[in-house]
Amino acid sequence: MDRLFKNFQVSCENCNLDEICLPRGLSEQEVKDLSDVIKSNSVLQQGEYIYRQGDRFKGIVAVKSGTAKLVSNDNQGNEHILNILLPGELTGFDGLNQNRHRCSAIALEVMSYCELPAEKLDSLCQMVPGIARELFRHSGESINESQNQVITSKQSAEVKLALFLTNLSDRLKKRGFSSLSFDLPLTREEMGNLLGLTLETVSRMLKHLQNEGLITVRRKHIEINDLKTLKAICSR
Amino acid sequence: MDRLFKNFQVSCENCNLDEICLPRGLSEQEVKDLSDVIKSNSVLQQGEYIYRQGDRFKGIVAVKSGTAKLVSNDNQGNEHILNILLPGELTGFDGLNQNRHRCSAIALEVMSYCELPAEKLDSLCQMVPGIARELFRHSGESINESQNQVITSKQSAEVKLALFLTNLSDRLKKRGFSSLSFDLPLTREEMGNLLGLTLETVSRMLKHLQNEGLITVRRKHIEINDLKTLKAICSR
DNA sequence: CGTATTATTGACTCCATTCAAAGATAGTGG
DNA sequence: CCACTATCTTTGAATGGAGTCAATAATACG
């Protein structure tokens, strides 16, 4: 076990995610300073929590490998999936407001992540001039993602699925993964939860998009055959 | 004109919103430093823009009086209202990600606002230790609000209206306004847009809540008669 | 006072949900 | 390796909640 993950003990300086993660806009020296306070490569199994709703604000978390879901539980115990997180994506900004996490982040498969601890935030912002701006940028990205979800929520079932798939495709591409052939990290039920649909409707709509020749679905595996038309459907 | 607004030329140090606005967590000296770079009290008429989607990131804006709506236009020109802004609330964080505003902020009535210009952000964060943290906190609040909208979007029409009214009531209370008797700054159509409903459904649901004895509606004026039951409806 | 805007109300329609049953797949242990 | 089970997915039929269309009413405003 110990041996298995030894080669994962990289710092920000030689991490292959540096172009899409926090270091993107920083100078070499700034990355070094950042690297010193980053807690790197915690590993989780499926279902384990990165942080829990209600926890004291832990810090800003960067997904290194694998995927996670962002989940909010309402007071009746219903689970609302707010988004999924891909490698290179940051989360934790929800804890900045009241110093407590307002939602949970849960591993969808075996995954690893790095962490910029909350207690180091203030001093780091002062020491490393660019870091505050970079953090704001990522925080802004979180806002944009949430706002996308709000707009998505007003669309028909067909458009919701098309938006979900194209958004995932775009984000995978940005992170250097195949954008036309990938596995969904969510079950039909979880997709339904995320999109405000029932699992049956998700199943039917995937079938429908397949019948139109736009995608090929096999269980959780998706092939996008006609991205252009799929994107056209998004604007209906 | 000039004369009319002269007494509005206050700085952060003697602004009556200091407890709910950006200065909340800052020391006296920090507020002075902040005040030096704040552009205060621009006044807008209904329908005028604080900033436009696509504009270069202008800065962080604090609503001083009146209300505004946060709007995103999709590529077919459909307008999506993302939220409304009350006095003391901050906006503009959507511009932090790509240095361009991803949505527009539009006055819903005569309103005034202050502004922390984008170009002063970096230097201010370094000069005033607490300011980065305060900005993060408000940025976190923006995220929380967006996530609330996402959760709201999955509820029934009745629950959506109850959530909208109680959320508005809570925010008004926090800002020192009457929380049980207030005027809606939105038309039925705009409320429908915000909540993902048609204006007819909004009208019917307001009537329904009135028939239940929970609220009294007279055009845009709302009286909340039974906040407890109204909040109970939110968790259905 | 007349017009434009906003809001209410009713009847009908349709999309997504609900309920129900069956099929497919992955993981487990004998 | 296969049977067994739990989980996930597909598919169909019936139902219902919100949308659509349409007409009327109330209010604001010039």
Side-chain angles (χ1 to χ4, degrees):
Chain A
M1 271 298 251
D2 208 308
R3 191 166 301 274
L4 192 61
F5 295 120
K6 255 189 183 154
N7 27 0
F8 286 146
Q9 288 308 326
V10 297
S11 60
C12 296
E13 298 153 86
N14 53 8
C15 173
N16 60 348
L17 293 178
D18 62 343
E19 284 303 313
I20 51 177
C21 185
L22 199 46
R24 184 173 57 171
L26 302 180
S27 72
E28 206 170 318
Q29 181 56 47
E30 287 176 326
V31 175
K32 274 213 175 67
D33 293 340
L34 171 64
S35 201
D36 286 343
V37 301
I38 289 278
K39 196 180 138 201
S40 61
N41 277 290
S42 308
V43 175
L44 294 183
Q45 301 298 309
Q46 175 176 20
E48 292 183 328
Y49 284 73
I50 305 177
Y51 52 80
R52 279 172 196 271
Q53 187 171 349
D55 277 359
R56 230 185 137 55
F57 172 53
K58 175 182 196 175
I60 301 303
V61 167
V63 175
K64 219 170 140 40
S65 66
T67 55
K69 60 179 175 181
L70 219 55
V71 168
S72 174
N73 282 87
D74 61 28
N75 32 28
Q76 305 109 72
N78 296 320
E79 168 171 316
H80 300 273
I81 301 180
L82 299 169
N83 210 343
I84 58 175
L85 299 167
L86 304 179
E89 295 187 332
L90 268 57
T91 188
F93 301 98
D94 56 282
L96 285 166
N97 183 233
Q98 293 161 313
N99 231 27
R100 297 207 166 272
H101 286 287
R102 291 274 308 247
C103 49
S104 305
I106 308 175
L108 284 166
E109 55 195 307
V110 176
M111 66 157 295
S112 62
Y113 67 92
C114 301
E115 194 186 322
L116 171 49
E119 64 273 17
K120 307 274 176 66
L121 257 182
D122 281 345
S123 60
L124 190 66
C125 282
Q126 277 176 76
M127 205 172 72
V128 186
I131 200 91
R133 197 56 192 273
E134 280 304 303
L135 281 169
F136 280 132
R137 240 209 8 211
H138 279 94
S139 155
E141 196 168 11
S142 283
I143 293 176
N144 292 344
E145 273 297 324
S146 291
Q147 293 185 347
N148 276 343
Q149 290 294 334
V150 174
I151 292 173
T152 299
S153 75
K154 292 170 190 164
Q155 310 295 329
S156 68
E158 185 188 26
V159 175
K160 280 179 180 175
L161 260 300
L163 281 166
F164 172 69
L165 292 174
T166 55
N167 173 273
L168 196 52
S169 172
D170 287 348
R171 284 159 67 190
L172 286 169
K173 187 172 193 174
K174 203 178 189 177
R175 270 95 197 166
F177 297 96
S178 167
S179 61
L180 297 179
S181 174
F182 50 84
D183 286 306
L184 298 169
L186 301 175
T187 65
R188 302 287 187 266
E189 186 177 19
E190 288 171 318
M191 275 190 271
N193 185 319
L194 174 63
L195 297 173
L197 298 170
T198 58
L199 67 100
E200 293 95 329
T201 302
V202 171
S203 180
R204 279 187 258 263
M205 282 301 144
L206 286 175
K207 187 69 173 287
H208 167 73
L209 292 174
Q210 178 168 256
N211 290 342
E212 301 283 299
L214 307 182
I215 60 175
T216 305
V217 186
R218 170 155 173 78
R219 207 105 176 140
K220 286 190 174 158
H221 186 75
I222 299 283
E223 302 270 341
I224 297 184
N225 306 319
D226 186 351
L227 185 60
K228 204 177 155 195
T229 308
L230 199 61
K231 288 206 173 182
I233 286 182
C234 294
S235 39
R236 277 200 186 150
Chain B
M1 272 295 252
D2 209 310
R3 191 167 300 273
L4 192 59
F5 295 120
K6 256 193 182 152
N7 26 1
F8 286 145
Q9 290 306 327
V10 296
S11 60
C12 297
E13 299 152 85
N14 54 8
C15 172
N16 60 348
L17 293 178
D18 62 342
E19 285 303 313
I20 52 175
C21 187
L22 200 46
R24 184 172 57 169
L26 303 180
S27 71
E28 206 170 317
Q29 181 57 45
E30 287 176 325
V31 175
K32 272 211 175 71
D33 293 339
L34 171 65
S35 201
D36 287 342
V37 300
I38 288 279
K39 197 180 137 200
S40 60
N41 277 291
S42 308
V43 175
L44 295 182
Q45 302 299 310
Q46 176 175 19
E48 292 183 328
Y49 285 74
I50 305 176
Y51 53 81
R52 280 173 195 271
Q53 186 170 350
D55 277 359
R56 234 186 133 55
F57 172 52
K58 175 181 195 174
I60 301 302
V61 167
V63 176
K64 219 169 138 42
S65 66
T67 55
K69 60 179 174 181
L70 219 54
V71 169
S72 174
N73 283 86
D74 61 28
N75 32 29
Q76 306 109 71
N78 296 320
E79 169 171 316
H80 299 274
I81 302 179
L82 300 169
N83 211 340
I84 58 177
L85 299 166
L86 304 180
E89 296 187 331
L90 268 56
T91 188
F93 300 98
D94 56 282
L96 285 167
N97 182 231
Q98 293 160 313
N99 231 27
R100 297 206 167 271
H101 286 288
R102 291 272 309 243
C103 51
S104 306
I106 308 173
L108 284 166
E109 57 195 305
V110 176
M111 66 157 296
S112 62
Y113 67 93
C114 301
E115 193 186 323
L116 171 50
E119 64 273 16
K120 308 273 176 68
L121 256 184
D122 281 346
S123 60
L124 190 66
C125 282
Q126 278 176 77
M127 205 172 74
V128 187
I131 200 92
R133 198 54 193 269
E134 280 305 303
L135 282 169
F136 280 133
R137 238 203 16 205
H138 278 94
S139 157
E141 196 168 11
S142 284
I143 292 175
N144 293 163
E145 272 297 325
S146 291
Q147 293 185 346
N148 276 342
Q149 291 295 334
V150 173
I151 292 172
T152 299
S153 74
K154 293 171 191 166
Q155 309 295 328
S156 69
E158 185 188 26
V159 174
K160 280 178 179 175
L161 260 300
L163 280 165
F164 172 70
L165 292 173
T166 54
N167 173 273
L168 195 53
S169 171
D170 286 349
R171 284 159 68 191
L172 287 168
K173 187 171 193 176
K174 200 176 186 178
R175 269 97 197 165
F177 297 96
S178 167
S179 61
L180 297 178
S181 174
F182 50 84
D183 286 306
L184 298 169
L186 300 174
T187 64
R188 301 287 187 265
E189 186 177 18
E190 289 172 317
M191 274 190 273
N193 185 319
L194 174 62
L195 296 173
L197 298 170
T198 58
L199 67 99
E200 293 95 330
T201 302
V202 171
S203 181
R204 277 186 259 263
M205 281 302 145
L206 286 175
K207 187 69 173 290
H208 168 73
L209 292 173
Q210 178 167 255
N211 290 343
E212 301 284 300
L214 307 182
I215 61 174
T216 306
V217 186
R218 172 157 171 78
R219 203 98 177 149
K220 284 189 176 162
H221 186 75
I222 299 285
E223 303 270 341
I224 297 184
N225 305 320
D226 185 350
L227 185 60
K228 204 177 155 195
T229 308
L230 198 61
K231 290 205 173 184
I233 287 183
C234 294
S235 38
R236 278 200 183 153

